[in-house]
Amino acid sequence: MAAMSDAPKPEILVVEDEAPIREGLCDVLVYHGYRPTGVATGDGGLAEALTGRYALVVLDVMLPGLDGFEICRRLRAARPFQPIVMLTAKGAEDDIVRGFREGADDYVPKPFSIRELMVRIEAVLRRAGRAPLDAQQGFAVGRWRVEPGERRAVDGGEAVELTPRELEVLALLARERGRTVSRDRLLQEVWGFGNVEHIHTRTVDMHIAKLRKKLGDGISTVRGEGYRLDA
């Protein structure tokens, strides 16, 4: 038997009120080498997440006490770069949009496959563990100057905060300025997914929508192909 690595995998918090799902997720995470903690209530989940112990939080929406959207909002405000994956039966587009607006890094509707969930968890953890692309070099997006080292975009006296993932999306588009970047390439290079032809997600579109809300014009949609940062 091969020797196990001395470095343990990260701790992951699972906030899910249904005991069979919570315990099953924890068992799967243990099987993959992670150290999970399960919490059954919204208030308890938020308190545990705010300790800062966890590399990632897997968060249900329908919970006793605080719901997942409120937890996500409060956690993102207190810990801006905490990786969060929302896992819920609320799979309607409006709920997915709200999840991303509240700060989720990814959103997986139930029912889901364990394989897909683990791919998404590992992709979010990979992203959280590496610095944004072009971390020291600023660039323009429309009227905004993006400052990756400060994780923000500025326009005169106005500034907006950007998440690490938003920075990576913008940095990739900036490197290819004037050329179209496909959704598949964004999923591969920013989200870390492989075999993207088998992954059906609107994550890229949701993040572009968030960036447009923050920065306004500057990112063009090339129908059926992807996105382009205007020259």
Side-chain angles (χ1 to χ4, degrees), residues 4 9-12 14 22-38 114 118 121:
M4 294 182 65
K9 283 194 175 182
E11 292 188 70
I12 293 179
V14 178
R22 183 177 66 253
E23 292 165 7
L25 286 174
C26 288
D27 288 345
V28 168
L29 290 167
V30 168
Y31 176 80
H32 284 84
Y34 295 98
R35 294 173 292 157
T37 296
I114 292 298
M118 291 309 304
I121 284 174

Side-chain angles (χ1 to χ4, degrees), residues 2 19 21 79 105 117 122 124 154 187:
I21 297 177
R79 301 183 56 79
D105 292 284
L117 176 62
E122 288 166 1
V124 170
V154 297
L187 284 172

Side-chain angles (χ1 to χ4, degrees), residues 86 155 202 216:
M86 298 197 77
D155 176 35
R202 297 198 62 192

